[in-house]
Amino acid sequence: MADLSKYRNIGIFAHVDAGKTTTTERILKLTGMIHKIGEVHDGESTTDFMEQEAERGITIQSAAVTCEWKKHRFNVIDTPGHVDFTVEVYRSLKVLDGGIGVFCGSGGVEPQSETNWRYANDSKVARLIFVNKLDRLGADFYRVTDQVKNVLGANPLIMTLPIGEEDDFVGVVDVLTQKAYYWDDSGQPENYEVKDIPANMVDDAAVYREQLIETALEADEDMLMDYLEGEMTPTEEQIKACIRKGTREIMFFPTYCGSAFKNKGMQLLLDAVVDYLPSPTDVNPQPLTDEEGEATGEYAIVSPDETFKALAFKITDDRFGTLTFVRVYSGVLKKGDTILNAATGKTERVGRMCEMQADDRNELTSAQAGDIIAIVGMKSNVQTGHTLCDPKDPIILEAMVFPKPVISISVAPKDKGSTEKMGIAIGKMVAEDPTFKVETDEDSGETILSGMGELHLDIKVDILKRTYGVELAVGKPQVAYRETITQEIEDSYTHKKQSGGSGQFGKIDYRIKPGEPNSGFTFTSTVVGGNVPKEFFPAVEKGFKSMMDTGVLAGFPVLDVEVELFDGGFHAVDSSAVAFEIAAKGAFRQSIPKAGAQLIEPIMKVDVFTPDDHVGDVIGDLNRRRGMISGQDAGVSGVRIKAEVPLSEMFGYIGSLRTMTSGRGQFSMEFSHYNACPNNVAETVIAEVKEREAAKKK
């Protein structure tokens, strides 16, 4: 059995272009897994192996690699930075024990860094911070660490200081050991010398060491008191033990600096993964739940001696077949074992399993608690978030919750041959990506693809064309509008039908009112005296709930409605569950228009970077798009503008931004919340829906 204390399951996450993939590439080089470094800008990095990734120079899907450093086994996942693919970050963080947050030395804490940091906080993942690209123009390590404090509300524990800046960045000072590491210009990460700290940094380094010791000792109150009272001087080992404890408990984040591209500062970061990030046995075990998703109070203990428990966290299709990425939490899995998919109730035999090296693989005969592996060709309809376990001990691990799509496009195959290919391809793509949804419009026969943003759907269409050879005609993007109500009303509805034999009767008195944002649909019953028998309450709830999918204004799903059943009437012979369900459906149609039905639209959190001389143009343009400016932050090379803008106004924005800023502007956006549409917009949307419906009928 492998020693679990020597395992580190880590993810590397950051904003687009902060240098995650380059950092991963350097880790592989230093650990001896690759001998030639591939660069992202040449389309040759190890983990960006999709055609679309190599072309665009961005990471689209997370990639797993395994390597060794100082007799410790690292399972590393390189995740995407672009907001449209945050599902990859979210699901990777769910199965990792630690992470490295990479921040650009000049860009600092950027919007996607905030989102990913929030995901990591939600998943309670211990992290190191790596401030990268310190060789770039405008890079400032101290400014970035201030942003970590102020923007992320996090506590950076500064472990290294940069020697020189921008073009003159030559190495780092190790604050704990008070030694300086200098790299030469050969570009080889191994070529460095350890020297004394430069004279002009001695005082600063001593101050930072004092801060480091005080912050680290906060993890051990007794030691901190003895130190502050002058009764002890902690040893390096004692300080390291406190840093390890504080990092695991997310009290602070050890912070390193360097340049991954120039191979400077990477060894100290790798040492920190070994010294401070938790092993699989150090983290809180995953909770088990019942079928409804409620916690049972039991846990998947990380140990090879337990029964087999694992989570499928990613499904992907490559040239060898379908791969199911699995994090093993408990027990041992051997080739040929039979396992149960707790979500589908199906069992299957494990034929082949392997350790992944990006798109290469090493065949395995067994895996144990703590491992991240891929199982080849699973057939039991496994999806992201499904639990795999021992058939003799069925359990369910805490599920993953994914954001709902906010944008859709219609696609149609250009020829007969593409129709069948498209069906198979889309089936595989939906299994791979839980934020990508597909439905068929029954009236028009069109296929509707829904996703997290324009780039997300653009990449999906590209994959359909190139990977699967499906030629498509693509419609214009459609916004995922929703409907809600604005007033509380009290109403009554009776369903009565007599047609020979037994009749149908159900009378309900109810209140309908707007619910809290994001509450969906809630139903309560306060009926007393048995006017509506208890056994019919579920039928009334089912009737109302089934109508939430199609609103009365334009047929969009309805959000945030509370229904209270407070009285009614029944007939001893003619009342039935069906009668009350039909009554509830009629009640919904009757009352929602009276309750101030309103169209609501998705509002996006938009973050725009622009050079100083175009700030006025960019703000004016965002205002014209009905945007609300929420903040401006001046940086070295430009200004970041934060705004909230309706999604419907943001189509094609990248083209406008590039024109306004002579190609130098950048932006990112993510879904924030739903808000009421202005009347003129609502009228236009409703009219368009009615036109489309009329055209279909013809």
Side-chain angles (χ1 to χ4, degrees):
M1 286 289 168
D3 178 357
L4 283 178
S5 69
K6 297 227 176 345
Y7 270 53
R8 297 290 182 273
N9 290 322
I10 60 170
I12 296 185
F13 56 91
H15 186 84
V16 175
D17 208 26
K20 295 172 304 301
T21 301
T22 305
T23 303
T24 308
E25 200 74 6
R26 297 316 184 256
I27 290 172
L28 293 177
K29 173 74 168 71
L30 275 171
T31 55
M33 289 309 299
I34 58 172
H35 301 291
K36 173 186 177 289
I37 288 173
E39 301 301 356
V40 175
H41 51 80
D42 296 332
E44 289 179 357
S45 67
T46 309
T47 52
D48 283 355
F49 52 81
M50 286 172 65
E51 270 182 76
Q52 289 81 0
E53 291 177 312
E55 268 179 26
R56 294 165 195 249
I58 61 169
T59 303
I60 291 167
Q61 59 176 23
S62 49
V65 288
T66 303
C67 53
E68 270 198 19
W69 181 254
K70 297 198 171 170
K71 298 188 176 164
H72 284 66
R73 174 194 171 98
F74 291 4
N75 290 318
V76 185
I77 295 187
D78 171 29
T79 63
H82 199 286
V83 66
D84 287 8
F85 310 106
T86 42
V87 62
E88 292 281 353
V89 182
Y90 169 79
R91 61 179 168 193
S92 300
L93 281 167
K94 177 83 178 162
V95 298
L96 294 167
D97 306 319
I100 301 173
V102 180
F103 298 96
C104 173
S106 58
V109 175
E110 296 170 284
Q112 201 53 35
S113 336
E114 291 177 54
T115 304
N116 293 338
W117 197 261
R118 196 171 66 241
Y119 283 156
N121 285 343
D122 292 346
S123 299
K124 297 184 173 59
V125 171
R127 276 148 281 168
L128 304 175
I129 289 172
F130 181 56
V131 180
N132 188 24
K133 301 195 176 185
L134 288 182
D135 55 318
R136 277 179 71 162
L137 189 67
D140 184 340
F141 173 70
Y142 303 98
R143 183 171 58 88
V144 178
T145 55
D146 282 346
Q147 285 183 342
V148 168
K149 284 180 206 161
N150 302 327
V151 179
L152 301 178
N155 185 8
L157 180 69
I158 292 173
M159 303 293 294
T160 61
L161 301 171
I163 303 172
E165 56 187 23
E166 299 180 353
D167 286 349
D168 300 325
F169 173 65
V170 290
V172 301
V173 169
D174 183 336
V175 174
L176 184 57
T177 62
Q178 295 284 292
K179 288 289 180 195
Y181 288 70
Y182 287 87
W183 279 263
D184 65 21
D185 290 328
S186 66
Q188 294 304 316
E190 303 87 353
N191 293 356
Y192 67 91
E193 288 180 89
V194 182
K195 300 181 184 175
D196 290 334
I197 298 174
N200 65 342
M201 291 185 72
V202 169
D203 292 346
D204 277 355
V207 170
Y208 275 101
R209 188 171 198 271
E210 190 71 21
Q211 284 177 8
L212 186 152
I213 294 170
E214 282 190 22
T215 307
L217 294 190
E218 285 172 11
D220 186 322
E221 277 186 30
D222 294 342
M223 212 186 287
L224 180 63
M225 290 310 294
D226 289 348
Y227 172 70
L228 292 176
E229 287 166 11
E231 289 178 17
M232 68 154 306
T233 304
T235 65
E236 196 175 303
E237 283 314 307
Q238 285 173 317
I239 297 168
K240 279 186 162 184
C242 287
I243 296 173
R244 183 168 172 77
K245 182 170 185 273
T247 305
R248 269 193 239 158
E249 292 174 4
I250 317 185
M251 294 167 65
F252 46 71
F253 305 93
T255 299
Y256 292 80
C257 60
S259 163
F261 182 57
K262 294 284 175 68
N263 290 301
K264 291 172 183 171
M266 298 302 298
Q267 283 92 337
L268 294 160
L269 182 67
L270 291 182
D271 288 347
V273 172
V274 168
D275 290 340
Y276 307 128
L277 286 183
S279 73
T281 51
D282 292 332
V283 294
N284 292 332
Q286 284 285 315
L288 305 182
T289 68
D290 59 20
E291 287 177 2
E292 301 299 314
E294 298 297 322
T296 61
E298 294 180 60
Y299 295 88
I301 306 299
V302 179
S303 162
D305 303 326
E306 298 275 317
T307 57
F308 175 69
K309 302 176 187 72
L311 188 73
F313 69 94
K314 177 178 164 67
I315 289 143
T316 180
D317 208 66
D318 75 359
R319 60 187 188 277
F320 302 109
T322 303
L323 291 174
T324 304
F325 282 79
V326 170
R327 163 72 198 261
V328 184
Y329 285 107
S330 305
V332 175
L333 179 65
K334 292 193 173 75
K335 192 173 169 178
D337 282 358
T338 296
I339 56 175
L340 169 72
N341 178 345
T344 62
K346 292 181 180 169
T347 55
E348 72 172 290
R349 193 169 160 277
V350 176
R352 290 169 59 206
M353 52 192 197
C354 51
E355 173 187 282
M356 294 305 293
Q357 290 298 354
D359 62 342
D360 286 331
R361 55 184 66 188
N362 303 325
E363 295 282 335
L364 299 173
T365 54
S366 74
Q368 66 157 36
D371 279 334
I372 291 177
I373 59 160
I375 300 176
V376 185
M378 291 193 78
K379 297 179 178 65
S380 62
N381 195 21
V382 181
Q383 290 176 11
T384 300
H386 281 183
T387 299
L388 305 174
C389 57
D390 185 327
K392 296 190 195 71
D393 182 22
I395 55 98
I396 299 173
L397 285 157
E398 188 178 60
M400 299 181 181
V401 181
F402 296 109
K404 298 270 190 299
V406 292
I407 179 173
S408 56
I409 51 173
S410 61
V411 296
K414 285 186 176 171
D415 52 60
K416 286 264 169 65
S418 288
T419 308
E420 194 177 324
K421 276 197 286 191
M422 183 175 85
I424 296 166
I426 283 178
K428 289 178 178 177
M429 289 163 70
V430 169
E432 287 177 15
D433 182 351
T435 59
F436 177 56
K437 299 278 185 251
V438 179
E439 56 191 1
T440 305
D441 185 316
E442 285 169 15
D443 298 327
S444 67
E446 285 179 326
T447 300
I448 311 292
L449 310 183
S450 304
M452 301 310 295
E454 276 189 285
L455 178 65
H456 191 199
L457 294 181
D458 190 23
I459 298 274
K460 295 297 180 195
V461 169
D462 200 38
I463 291 170
L464 278 169
K465 285 180 179 170
R466 279 203 278 182
T467 310
Y468 296 104
V470 180
E471 281 301 320
L472 294 172
V474 180
K476 68 175 193 174
Q478 300 292 327
V479 175
Y481 290 100
R482 295 290 181 260
E483 299 181 22
T484 192
I485 56 172
T486 53
Q487 296 155 22
E488 178 175 340
I489 65 154
E490 204 170 279
D491 213 344
S492 179
Y493 189 90
T494 305
H495 170 66
K496 197 160 49 172
K497 192 175 178 194
Q498 201 70 42
S499 55
S502 60
Q504 288 179 3
F505 180 85
K507 176 177 186 287
I508 53 174
D509 297 335
Y510 53 90
R511 288 183 196 93
I512 290 185
K513 64 177 181 181
E516 290 295 312
N518 300 321
S519 61
F521 170 75
T522 47
F523 176 82
T524 52
S525 167
T526 54
V527 177
V528 286
N531 289 347
V532 177
K534 273 200 176 110
E535 66 261 32
F536 297 140
F537 293 174
V540 176
E541 180 176 1
K542 185 182 172 191
F544 275 112
K545 195 172 183 180
S546 68
M547 298 298 285
M548 292 284 289
D549 287 340
T550 28
V552 296
L553 294 174
F556 294 111
V558 183
L559 296 184
D560 308 333
V561 171
E562 284 182 26
V563 174
E564 179 197 346
L565 175 68
F566 66 85
D567 205 353
F570 80 107
H571 187 281
V573 177
D574 291 349
S575 286
S576 64
V578 170
F580 275 99
E581 189 180 328
I582 292 169
K585 288 179 176 178
F588 184 94
R589 281 190 291 265
Q590 168 183 293
S591 301
I592 291 290
K594 298 183 198 171
Q598 184 179 56
L599 202 66
I600 52 178
E601 61 183 344
I603 305 296
M604 309 303 280
K605 198 162 79 178
V606 178
D607 210 300
V608 187
F609 171 82
T610 169
D612 293 332
D613 42 355
H614 298 291
V615 172
D617 296 339
V618 170
I619 289 177
D621 182 64
L622 288 170
N623 286 334
R624 277 191 295 279
R625 294 171 186 270
R626 298 193 281 125
M628 296 281 290
I629 309 298
S630 56
Q632 290 181 53
D633 181 16
V636 179
S637 52
V639 177
R640 270 178 60 196
I641 299 162
K642 294 187 173 192
E644 291 188 340
V645 192
L647 173 62
S648 60
E649 304 288 347
M650 289 300 290
F651 293 139
Y653 180 63
I654 188 64
S656 307
L657 180 65
R658 281 180 182 149
T659 306
M660 272 184 290
T661 60
S662 310
R664 289 154 65 208
Q666 293 175 320
F667 87 105
S668 74
M669 67 177 182
E670 65 178 308
F671 172 70
S672 172
H673 61 280
Y674 274 94
N675 210 350
C677 281
N679 285 341
N680 59 332
V681 174
E683 284 164 13
T684 307
V685 171
I686 292 166
E688 281 175 3
V689 169
K690 286 183 175 159
E691 262 176 50
R692 280 205 299 274
E693 296 300 318
K696 285 174 193 170
K697 283 173 185 162
K698 286 177 188 172

